[in-house]
């Protein structure tokens, strides 16, 4: 009897321990949802590479995995604010003479006043977006090595395709590092060798970062698709060349070296790549601008398939207010935010230049109060109607793509680099390119210039006329020494109605305090 | 799995069935009610230290075998005081038991009970007598203000939930909600889609007691989820033997909004518009002819009906209690409504001479909600008072609407509040069921040993739809209107098993317990939605089910050792495993120890009892609300409306999500010193507690070094915070005059809690300001609060306002606090915070003959509020918008005289100390109507009677400290009937 008891007792313990063991395996959870895949298995599907590449591009346009909001990529700021293009636009435009915004969101007014600090959430959002892109590219590069791809049994054709994806991913990383260099200079530096985890990246400097971006772009240009040969939405060689041209044009600012000849070389490559000026200037900024032959690298938006409160939804809506009829812009209603200062309006002649796309009805040219939309001219350049005048697919979310790079910019860079003494080009060609732009703008030769007219002063103003609101202005003003500490003033610069010079250190944004707090290797930029 | 352990358990039972009966005598007697002399049927009779037992029969008689070596018999009966008597030479032993408030005597603690006098932790119990009165829907409302250290802030909507904080918050990003255990079933804190308050599963009328475990020595037995305290809810049970008792409890209540935001009326508004805008300005042209008080328009008199019937008694050996409840409430905001039916069944039979006890509970409820569009609250504040409700036109359902130049509704203008209410049809129905069974078996051959198995299943289903027709003046766009549907199913399965061994060894009482717990939570949400006509090619909300789960496994043990009934030692240890963490970090160890010394323990005399308690323990936190796999590297697909175009193909994107493979438990160490006291024949009782709580490895959603992860912020274990506090509570029977039949009892408690963040970043960075929090209305993404090192969590982060001679703020002029010659964001400072420095609760119960009169109130001192309504609505720029609409402004506009909102001025951070009279009740009791024991009580209660405060906004008590679009609390008058037969 006793023996049986012991046996039963033993069985009880064995049973209990078996039970406990089986319960402990419950702890090994994996996502139950079909929208989530573990990193360990995601790339078993050959189609996943293309989908991850699409995310790398979508990182420029959208705020997350759900449109228009719901599953944000980054945090610390309203999701609608958090998109790359919205922040890039604000950093490049609101801090200059090209735009003011009526709103009271956080520290946004500091942009126009040029008195931001390291706590500014808009600067932090821009920085976080840049490093979000870099981190995602690093992850993709790590996961798509030849070794891993072979191991997963992807066929030769698939592998060749993945090679191109990798080149485009590296281009996107170089593009974001270029933005980091331009806006922040001395940033933490990570590549695919830095795995996800807890570590403190080292801080790089402008010279090293410049060299890295240059070498990456040169390394991938040969691997990327030829100009105009890739699917719409994806970058090709010309996008890499444009980035190189910009890097070289601004080399004096970044590293104190003259690289104008290189700028001429790469601008020329772009010019000769087969892109043509859009016959109709306005059509570069419409809901169907994917048809424009001038755009070299677009960031794609869509009212149905790619919804966001940032990007072009912001750019189009914020510009509409006052007595403007939102329906004329393909919109459900305006957000009454952004206008232009008279510093820009004054750069246009009273008549003739079709690029002076201002709405003046009920708008004062002077800005007495930034918070009032009707003070300052409104800008009608970006719209959500097609070139045919038909509203976009949705009145709330714009179809318009953002022209990150377009041919006219290559013309202007060529001319400027030649003027700055860059070899390999000539003034006559430069004047020719400039007159191509003038003739389109004026619908004739009324605005044409001669070699004598082509000066650097003319170039900086022409860039404002041609490229207004296309995210070039801050970089251009810094390059021309007209941004912070300068006698070039515009209304409300420095927070006063007539404008005032600010300190030179504002030419570079501060490293956000969140990252200074998280990473002890970082030293704050001078002045902050 | 559950089946397996159950069969092993039964096997064990069979195995250990006892056989031995040695030299013994039989004791018998009768058990009666000391007041009525009635025979008590079904009283539990046990031989002390042996734990064999029986019940008294229909005539109150019992008979029990008393083995040699045992000489004490204890009689217990629910609702009566326990009585122990020594057996003398006689074999007859009669008991006369006292009905009374015995609830305080034995307290429910985690996995067991403890006599109050033997408790070593900071534990407090509130019984029915002290519950709040009024139109009460959720169980938490009964408890507000009753326990030191416990803060309950109730929302304003009908059937709405509350924020409950015990001893401040110990977490920042993780949940600060206490663990709620309903009849032994720890329930999930998660909301149920479509439900206003997941706690509505328990009908307040079914609750017998709340027990609140505050310090670590009491809560550590619940280790993993105990950092923010534990609230144990025990529901009423049936009684054996007594005649069937039927009780009805019902009330009828009417409610009205207790206040409105003070804005201009139409006449004042016209004057201000004419002052601010010159003749011919478009603003003047927009003025209407009407005189509309929009806030009066959106609020209504809310009506509540509440009916509860319970039947309790015993059938054979099975005590039962069955209750049915029905509540119907209409909110004070038009279109807001709530109704609920509840069923609760309790069966608690015992078998095998009381050795096998079963406690079965079923709780079910069905709730129907109609949610009013809360956007109407803010719109009613801002809407131009000169406009009519109805425009007289056909379009937009006839509601006056601000339009664009082309005649379409203006999407950024303020929407007509009545249209917002009328056009949004938002309904849900929610069911929830909790089935639980506890089986407690005392081994025959070893009566000191007890095995307890607890099985429970908690399932809830929420379903809802939201519709806005395409004719509404909001939800515009190419595809107007809205047609959404959602559903959520939550399942919580629990299996717990423990063994308890209790024995007296010379002067030591030893009680040890060890057990195992397995709990699984499964959530599945379904959402779909599109425009009203389902015309959009890609749905606005893609039909998708989101499923996730988590597991908690635990091993736990506790030892209670009492020496000479005077020195008490409790040691607990719990090891928890959470599936939210990676393999190496899953386990957390949560030990605790407490020592109690009864310095004075004297039933007679002026000082009856003084007990000193010392406790220390560590508890954990893993509840990252909504994040179930934070440690796992995952890729996530995009919705169809967030794709990217490659050529002609819209490609669904795959995003690698941020993750933290080294995420682990947050830990809180608590030190507690307490003194329990009882004076004057225990007419004055209470306790004093001092505590310090140190939370380390805070689960914190914080920025990571840029470039090191797949997002800019992830859940991490970075940061420390501490709470220190002092609690005092007293319960005094001021008058107890049985001759004149006057009785007066007062309960009072007061708490001071000080919260401070001591670490926030991985590295020392003195320039780091902190984590912005506390989003406000006005602008997008504006935060008014900050978590900073050296300051309380959620401190207001503002500029110091400069005032003119008339004490009016000078717009945009602030003190240059850092003295660098300019005012920059660096000049902001941390100014006060929303948590009170001190809060107290007061309850008074008075009765004279058949009348009784009670009240309960609460006060907070030093809590601050950001008056967001004043900061957004108090400026001239808010009057007119160039996109052609007008807004009302705050009536105090002249006192701040600002043209542009100055959100970050400390002028808007106001002291919101208050005293609130929560409820006053007067009642008359008709006793022994028709026959004995038939009682009817008729009462009148006023709820939220008055508030004394200097705060100028709508209500000084808003959780989070930001006064913005607040659903006003109602003021309620209620007539209640309670009948017992």
């Amino acid at each position: 009897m006793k023996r049986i008891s012991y046996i039963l007792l033993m069985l009880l313990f064995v049973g209990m321990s078996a039970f406990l063991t089986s319960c402990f395996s419950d702890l090994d959870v994996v996502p139950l949802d079909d929208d989530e895949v573990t990193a360990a298995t995601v790339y078993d599907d050959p189609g996943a590479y293309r989908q991850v590449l699409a995310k790398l591009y979508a990182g420029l346009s959208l705020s997350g995995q759900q449109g228009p909001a719901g599953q944000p990529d980054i945090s610390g700021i309203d999701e609608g604010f958090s998109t790359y293009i919205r922040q890039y636009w604000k950093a490049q435009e609101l801090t200059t003479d090209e735009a003011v915004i009526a709103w009271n969101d956080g520290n946004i007014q500091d942009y126009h006043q040029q008195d931001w600090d390291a706590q500014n959430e808009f600067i932090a959002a821009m920085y976080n977006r840049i490093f979000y892109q870099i981190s995602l590219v690093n992850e993709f590069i790590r996961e798509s090595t030849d070794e891993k791809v072979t191991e997963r049994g992807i066929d030769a054709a698939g592998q060749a395709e993945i090679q191109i994806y990798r080149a485009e991913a590296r281009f996107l990383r170089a593009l974001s590092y270029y933005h980091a260099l331009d806006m922040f200079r001395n940033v933490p530096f990570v590549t695919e060798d830095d795995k996800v985890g807890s570590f403190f990246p080292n801080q790089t400097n402008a010279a090293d970062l410049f060299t890295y971006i240059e070498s990456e772009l040169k390394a991938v240009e040969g691997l990327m698709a030829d100009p105009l040969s890739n699917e719409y939405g994806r970058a090709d060689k010309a996008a890499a060349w444009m980035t190189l041209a910009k890097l070289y044009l601004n080399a004096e600012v970044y590293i104190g070296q003259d690289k104008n000849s290189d700028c001429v070389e790469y601008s020329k490559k772009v010019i000769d790549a087969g892109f043509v000026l859009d016959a109709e200037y306005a059509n570069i900024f419409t809901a169907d601008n994917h048809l424009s032959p001038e755009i070299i690298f677009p960031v794609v938006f869509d009212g149905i398939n790619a919804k966001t409160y940032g990007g072009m939804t912001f750019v189009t809506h914020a510009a509409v207010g006052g007595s403007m009829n939102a329906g004329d812009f393909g919109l459900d209603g305006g957000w009454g935010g952004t206008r232009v200062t008279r510093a820009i309006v004054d750069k246009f002649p009273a008549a003739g230049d079709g690029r002076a796309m201002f709405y003046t009805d009920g708008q004062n040219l002077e800005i007495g109060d930034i918070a009032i939309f009707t003070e300052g001219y409104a800008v009608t350049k970006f719209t959500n109607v097609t070139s045919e005048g038909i509203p976009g697919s949705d009145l709330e979310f714009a179809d318009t793509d953002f022209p990150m790079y377009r041919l006219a910019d290559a013309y202007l860079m060529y001319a400027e680099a030649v003027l700055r003494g860059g070899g390999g080009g000539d003034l006559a060609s430069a004047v020719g390119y400039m007159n191509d732009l003038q003739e389109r703008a004026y619908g004739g030769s009324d605005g044409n210039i001669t070699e004598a007219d082509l000066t650097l002063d003319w170039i900086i103003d022409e860039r404002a006329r041609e490229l207004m609101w296309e995210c070039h202005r801050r970089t251009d003003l810094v390059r021309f020494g007209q941004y912070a500490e300068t006698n070039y003033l515009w209304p409300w610069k420095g927070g006063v109605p007539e404008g005032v010079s600010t300190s030179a250190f504002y030419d570079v944004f501060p490293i956000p305090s969140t990252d200074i707090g998280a990473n002890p290797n970082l030293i704050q930029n001078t002045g902050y | 799995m559950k089946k397996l352990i159950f069969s092993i358990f039964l096997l064990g039972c069979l195995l250990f069935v006892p056989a031995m009966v040695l030299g013994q005598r039989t004791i018998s007697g009768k058990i009666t009610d000391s007041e009525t002399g009635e025979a008590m049927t079904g009283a539990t009779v046990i031989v002390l230290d042996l734990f064999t037992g029986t019940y008294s029969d229909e005539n109150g008689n019992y008979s029990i075998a008393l083995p040699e070596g045992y000489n004490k018999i204890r009689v217990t009966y629910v609702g009566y005081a326990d009585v122990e008597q020594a057996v003398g030479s006689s074999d007859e032993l009669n008991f006369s038991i006292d009905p009374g408030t015995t609830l305080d005597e034995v307290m429910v603690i985690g996995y067991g009970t403890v006599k109050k006098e033997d408790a070593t932790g900071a534990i407090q119990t509130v019984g029915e007598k002290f519950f709040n009165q009024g139109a009460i829907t959720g169980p938490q409302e009964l408890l507000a203000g009753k326990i030191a250290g416990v803060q309950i802030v109730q929302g304003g909507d009908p059937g709405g939930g509350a924020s409950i904080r015990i001893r401040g918050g110990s977490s920042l990003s993780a949940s600060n909600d206490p663990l709620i255990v309903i009849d032994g079933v720890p329930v999930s804190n998660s909301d149920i889609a479509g439900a206003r308050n997941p706690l509505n599963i328990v009908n307040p009328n079914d609750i017998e007691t709340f027990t609140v475990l505050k310090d670590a020595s009491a809560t550590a037995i619940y280790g993993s989820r105990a950092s923010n305290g534990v609230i144990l809810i025990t529901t009423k049970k049936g009684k054996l033997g007594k005649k069937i008792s039927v009780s009805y409890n019902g009330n009828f209540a009417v409610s009205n909004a207790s206040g409105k935001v003070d804005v201009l009326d139409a006449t004042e508004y016209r004057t201000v518009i004419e002052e601010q805008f010159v003749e011919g300005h478009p603003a003047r042209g927009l003025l209407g002819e009407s005189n509309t008080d929009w806030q009066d328009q959106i609020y209504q008199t809310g009506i509540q009906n509440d009916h509860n019937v319970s039947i309790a008694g015993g059938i054979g050996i099975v005590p039962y209690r069955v209750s049915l409840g029905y509540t119907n409430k209409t909110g004070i905001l038009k279109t807001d409504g709530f109704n609920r039916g509840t069923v609760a069944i309790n069966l608690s039979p015992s078998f095998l001479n009381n050795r096998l006890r079963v406690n079965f509970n079923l709780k079910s409820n069905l709730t129907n909600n109609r949610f009013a569009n809360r956007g109407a609250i803010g719109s009613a504040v801002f809407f131009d008072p000169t406009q009519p409700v109805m425009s007289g036109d056909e379009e937009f359902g006839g509601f006056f609407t601000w339009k664009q130049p082309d005649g379409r509704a203006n999407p950024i203008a303020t929407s007509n509040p009545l249209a917002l209410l009328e056009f949004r049809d938002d309904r849900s129905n929610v069911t929830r069921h909790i089935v639980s069974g506890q089986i407690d078996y005392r081994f025959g051959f070893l009566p000191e040993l007890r095995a307890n198995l607890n099985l429970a299943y908690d399932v809830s289903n929420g379903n809802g739809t939201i519709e806005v027709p395409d004719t509404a003046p909001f939800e515009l766009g190419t595809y107007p209107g809205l047609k959404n549907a959602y559903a959520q199913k939550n399942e919580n399965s629990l299996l717990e098993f423990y063994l308890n061994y209790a024995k007296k060894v010379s002067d030591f009482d030893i009680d040890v317990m060890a057990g195992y717990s397995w709990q699984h939570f499964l959530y599945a949400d379904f959402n779909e939605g599109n425009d009203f006509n389902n015309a959009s090619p890609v749905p606005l909300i893609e039909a998708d089910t989101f499923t996730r789960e988590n597991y908690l496994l635990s091993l736990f043990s506790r030892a209670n050792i009492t020496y000479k009934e005077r020195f008490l030692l409790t040691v607990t240890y719990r090891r928890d495993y959470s599936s939210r963490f990676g393999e190496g970090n899953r386990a957390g160890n949560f030990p605790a120890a407490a020592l109690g010394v009864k310095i004075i323990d004297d039933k007679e005399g002026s000082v009856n009892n003084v007990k000193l308690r010392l406790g220390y323990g560590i508890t954990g936190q893993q509840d990252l609300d909504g994040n179930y796999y934070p440690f796992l590297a995952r890729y996530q697909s995009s919705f169809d409306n967030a794709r990217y175009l490659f050529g002609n193909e819209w490609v669904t994107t795959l995003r690698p999500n941020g993750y933290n493979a080294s995420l682990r438990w947050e830990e809180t160490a608590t030190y507690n010193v307490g003194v329990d006291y009882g004076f004057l024949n225990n007419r004055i009782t209470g306790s004093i507690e001092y505590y310090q709580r140190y939370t380390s490895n805070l689960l914190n959603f914080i920025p990571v070094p840029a470039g090191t992860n797949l997002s800019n912020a992830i859940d991490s274990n970075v940061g420390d915070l501490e709470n220190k506090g002092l609690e005092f509570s007293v319960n005094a029977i001021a008058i107890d005059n049985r001759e004149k039949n006057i009785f007066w009892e007062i309960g009072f408690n007061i708490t001071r809690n000080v919260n401070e963040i001591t670490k926030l970043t991985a590295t020392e960075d003195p320039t780091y300001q902190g984590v912005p929090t506390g989003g406000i209305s006005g602008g997008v993404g504006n935060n008014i609060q900050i978590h900073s090192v050296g300051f309380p969590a959620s401190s207001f982060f503002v500029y110091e306002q400069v005032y003119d001679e008339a004490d009016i703020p000078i717009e945009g002029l602030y003190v240059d606090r850092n003295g660098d010659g300019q005012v920059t964001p660096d000049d902001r400072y941390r100014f006060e915070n929303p948590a009170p420095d001190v809060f107290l609760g007061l309850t008074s119960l008075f009765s004279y003959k058949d009348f009784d009169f009670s009240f309960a109130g609460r006060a907070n001192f030093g809590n601050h509020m950001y008056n967001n309504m004043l900061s957004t609505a108090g400026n001239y720029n808010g009057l007119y918008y160039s996109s052609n609409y007008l807004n009302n402004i705050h009536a105090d506009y002249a006192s701040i005289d600002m043209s542009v909102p100055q959100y970050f001025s400390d002028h808007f951070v106001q002291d919101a100390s208050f005293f609130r009279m929560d409820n006053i009740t007067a009642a008359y009791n008709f006793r022994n109507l028709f026959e004995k024991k038939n009682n009817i009580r008729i009462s009148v209660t006023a709820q939220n009677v008055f508030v004394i405060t200097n705060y100028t906004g709508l209500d000084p008590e808003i959780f989070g400290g930001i006064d913005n679009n607040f659903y006003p609390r109602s003021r309620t008058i209620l007539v209640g009937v309670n009948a017992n037969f």
Side-chain angles (χ1 to χ4, degrees), chain A residues 33-102:
Chain A
D33 201 64
D34 53 5
D35 293 331
E36 290 188 324
V37 200
T38 62
T41 57
V42 63
Y43 290 103
D44 294 349
D45 170 13
Y49 299 87
R50 187 172 165 86
Q51 288 183 271
V52 177
L53 181 72
K55 178 63 197 174
L56 303 181
Y57 281 101
L60 295 173
S61 60
L62 302 179
S63 64
Q65 296 305 81
Q66 182 177 350
Q71 296 176 6
D73 295 332
I74 65 165
S75 53
I77 194 160
D78 173 77
E79 186 179 342
F81 288 2
S82 74
T83 71
Y84 201 111
I85 292 301
R86 185 167 179 165
Q87 285 314 322
Y88 189 49
W89 195 93
K90 287 178 172 174
Q92 292 284 72
E93 298 294 346
L94 291 180
T95 63
T96 74
D97 49 358
E98 283 189 354
V100 292
I101 195 163

Side-chain angles (χ1 to χ4, degrees), chain B residues 287-470:
Chain B
L287 279 173
E289 309 276 296
S290 301
N291 192 342
T292 309
D293 184 328
W294 291 96
Q295 293 184 83
D296 281 352
Q297 292 289 335
I298 61 164
Y299 296 121
Q300 63 183 4
T301 299
I303 292 174
Q304 162 168 331
N305 284 293
D306 190 33
H307 305 282
N308 299 280
V309 178
S310 70
I311 303 167
I315 301 176
I317 57 160
V318 184
Y320 66 88
R321 181 176 186 276
V322 177
S323 78
L324 299 169
Y326 174 75
T327 308
N328 185 355
K329 273 190 167 189
T330 55
I332 55 172
L333 182 59
K334 280 179 184 169
T335 74
D336 218 358
F338 167 86
N339 71 62
R340 173 182 69 179
T342 63
V343 179
I345 298 171
N346 172 268
L347 305 172
S348 48
S350 301
F351 309 94
L352 307 172
N353 285 334
N354 231 5
R355 284 206 320 274
L356 179 65
R357 301 178 189 217
V358 175
N359 185 13
F360 170 82
N361 277 298
L362 168 71
K363 295 179 191 70
S364 284
N365 78 359
L366 167 63
T367 308
N368 292 303
N369 284 303
R370 167 132 191 223
F371 296 95
N373 189 345
R374 296 223 189 163
I377 296 174
S379 287
V381 169
F382 287 106
F383 213 86
D384 173 5
T386 67
Q387 304 302 339
V389 175
M390 308 304 282
S391 61
D393 297 336
E394 294 270 305
E395 58 177 349
F396 308 128
F399 289 98
F400 174 84
T401 300
W402 294 112
K403 291 181 198 166
Q404 302 192 54
D406 61 6
R408 293 182 301 162
N410 185 339
I412 64 166
T414 310
S415 293
N416 184 321
L418 274 302
L420 287 174
L421 293 172
E422 203 62 38
F423 278 115
R424 186 180 168 98
D425 189 0
D426 181 350
R427 291 167 197 270
S428 74
N429 61 71
V430 181
T431 57
R432 186 170 183 179
H433 311 282
I434 301 180
V435 193
S436 65
Q438 278 124 311
I439 299 165
D440 193 278
Y441 180 76
R442 193 176 289 289
F443 291 84
F445 77 102
L446 191 63
E448 296 88 349
L449 186 66
R450 200 161 64 80
N452 186 293
L453 177 71
N454 184 8
L455 300 171
Y457 180 62
D458 171 5
V459 58
S460 55
N461 275 294
N463 288 285
T465 54
I466 303 171
E467 275 188 21
V468 175
D470 55 358

Side-chain angles (χ1 to χ4, degrees), chain B residues 81-104:
Chain B
D82 292 2
V83 180
E84 282 173 27
Q85 287 194 62
V87 183
S89 51
S90 167
D91 284 352
E92 187 181 329
L93 190 62
N94 294 324
F95 289 81
S96 165
I97 59 178
D98 277 334
T101 50
T102 53
L103 298 172
D104 288 349

